[in-house]
Amino acid sequence: MGLQPFSSLRGTSLVYCITVACSSGFMLFGYDQGVFSGVIVTPYFLEKFNHPNASLLGLVNALFDIGGAVGAILVFLFGGWLGRKRSIMLGSIIVIIGAIIQATASNVGALCAGRIIAGVGVGVDTTAIPVWQAETAPPKTRGHHMALELVFTATGLFISQWTNFGLGTNNGSAAFLIPVLLQIVFPAFTILMLCGGLPESPRWLIGKGRHEEAKEVLDRLHVAVDSSVDVYFQEIKEAVQLEGATEKSNWKLIFSNGPTQNMRRVILACWMMSMQQLSGVNSITYYVPTLLLKFLKVSRYTSLWVGGLTSVVSVTFALFPVFAIDRLGRIKLLVGGAIGQGLCFVVVAALLATTPESSFAYGFAIIFFIYLYFAIFSGTWLAGSWLYPSEILPLAVRGPGNSMAVVCYWCFNFLVVMITPTALENIGYKMYIMYAIFNIWFAVTIWYFYPETKGKTLEEMDLVFARLYGSPEAVAQLEGRMGSVEKPTMQELESTPQHV
């Protein structure tokens, strides 16, 4: 094995090692979602950076999201050439550079530069990782592996919030440097895993004409449970030929439907990631300490440990889809989650509007519904929203299409993080009424416009969309070119939304 300890792994053990590598990248993502919420209230940070106002704090946080969008765009432009593994490795290296710049920053400008650079790296990773995971996981357990990956996102949030809490009584540089430098650990581990012999995506290899390598990877993954590796290889190859996935300008296929409904699927993926952010999760994740300080008048120390408990709830309930998402499906989880989240925001808004100053009972109720919101989000949307785009996008546009979806995620993340401090100061509880309305709207949208992906191969989704929205000629073409692919039954299609 030498320097590549994973090169001899096969089957389930190999798939789980890929999941661990992906999980490390998403643990960094979760860590960065929460780390600055505690850092920006430390005396050292405030003194060193001249007590920035709410708008500047929003900018420091939001620049990370601009970087994330840039990183997703880089994958859009170069990911097809680099491949899944090299894209993830590049993103991890960029994060390390950004973390070092943040730790050594002597002014707000340098801090902002470090945040943007780290965001670029995280943006690259969060774009490439779901695609690599989806393209290497078996169809029947794909949701399980991707949900497990998102458990580690919640774990990253847990680590960030409790690191801030552990340093809550420290007024020196450690309360700033330790949380910032911990960003280096996660990408370093991902790089070590990638260098250890984990395979490239077989679908990417087939798209590049590297057929023998793809067969070797499929043989190692044992993804063809019900058929031989040769049959499964042929199914993917036929899908590649049908979708035109070997063309040099694959990204242009995004803007045309064709027999596989490419543009429709890209739009659904982009709106899924936009809805995830507009559901309001980061209005709480980033600013729980600020929310508690402003409305409940608690101390900084109390705000940190109370806010940290949200990540405990998140990790706990993120385990639910690991065992349930492949049984219940994606759509039921997302719709039920959106309704539950909307109701939580209604109650939080009502309590914030009527809370007497320093009322323990009202404060306890607000905290309870914040925890309930995190429980619902972590058990439904956290895994479902990140999994769905990679599942519905055809191979021809999966890389650039997922990049566009993640760009939408980061842009709306930026919007939410940028306006939240100002919104809390100016409109207070009304902000949460807005999020309640959004969530109910999203529940309706998903129920009527998003087809189920549970249990289907990535190639089979071509036929699902063709039968739902394509012409009879397109369906016939797909059935002719993908004759070996198990086709969805009419009963399955009748339970799927029929219009967009």
Side-chain angles (χ1 to χ4, degrees), residues 371-430:
Y371 288 169
L372 182 59
Y373 172 88
F374 266 94
I376 295 171
F377 178 86
S378 300
T380 57
W381 275 75
L382 181 60
S385 60
W386 280 101
L387 168 62
Y388 194 86
S390 296
E391 289 190 309
I392 64 165
L393 291 169
L395 178 58
V397 298
R398 189 170 296 138
N402 199 58
S403 298
M404 291 179 66
V406 177
V407 167
C408 291
Y409 168 88
W410 286 110
C411 287
F412 280 100
N413 194 329
F414 170 82
L415 175 67
V416 170
V417 174
M418 189 69 185
I419 68 173
T420 294
T422 304
L424 282 173
E425 284 191 355
N426 294 328
I427 64 174
Y429 73 89
K430 295 176 183 177

Side-chain angles (χ1 to χ4, degrees), residues 124-145:
V124 170
D125 282 352
T126 53
T127 304
I129 284 174
V131 176
W132 186 43
Q133 178 81 84
E135 292 182 341
T136 55
K140 292 183 179 179
T141 59
R142 187 172 58 238
H144 165 79
H145 286 283

Side-chain angles (χ1 to χ4, degrees), residues 22 184 208 229-230 312 353:
C22 293
I184 295 174
K208 293 298 180 182
V229 168
D230 287 336
V312 177

Side-chain angles (χ1 to χ4, degrees), residues 266-289:
V266 170
I267 291 172
L268 290 176
C270 289
W271 186 234
M272 174 61 71
M273 297 305 287
S274 302
M275 288 189 292
Q276 199 243 52
Q277 279 304 294
L278 290 173
S279 71
V281 61
N282 278 327
S283 70
I284 294 178
T285 303
Y286 275 86
Y287 294 108
V288 163

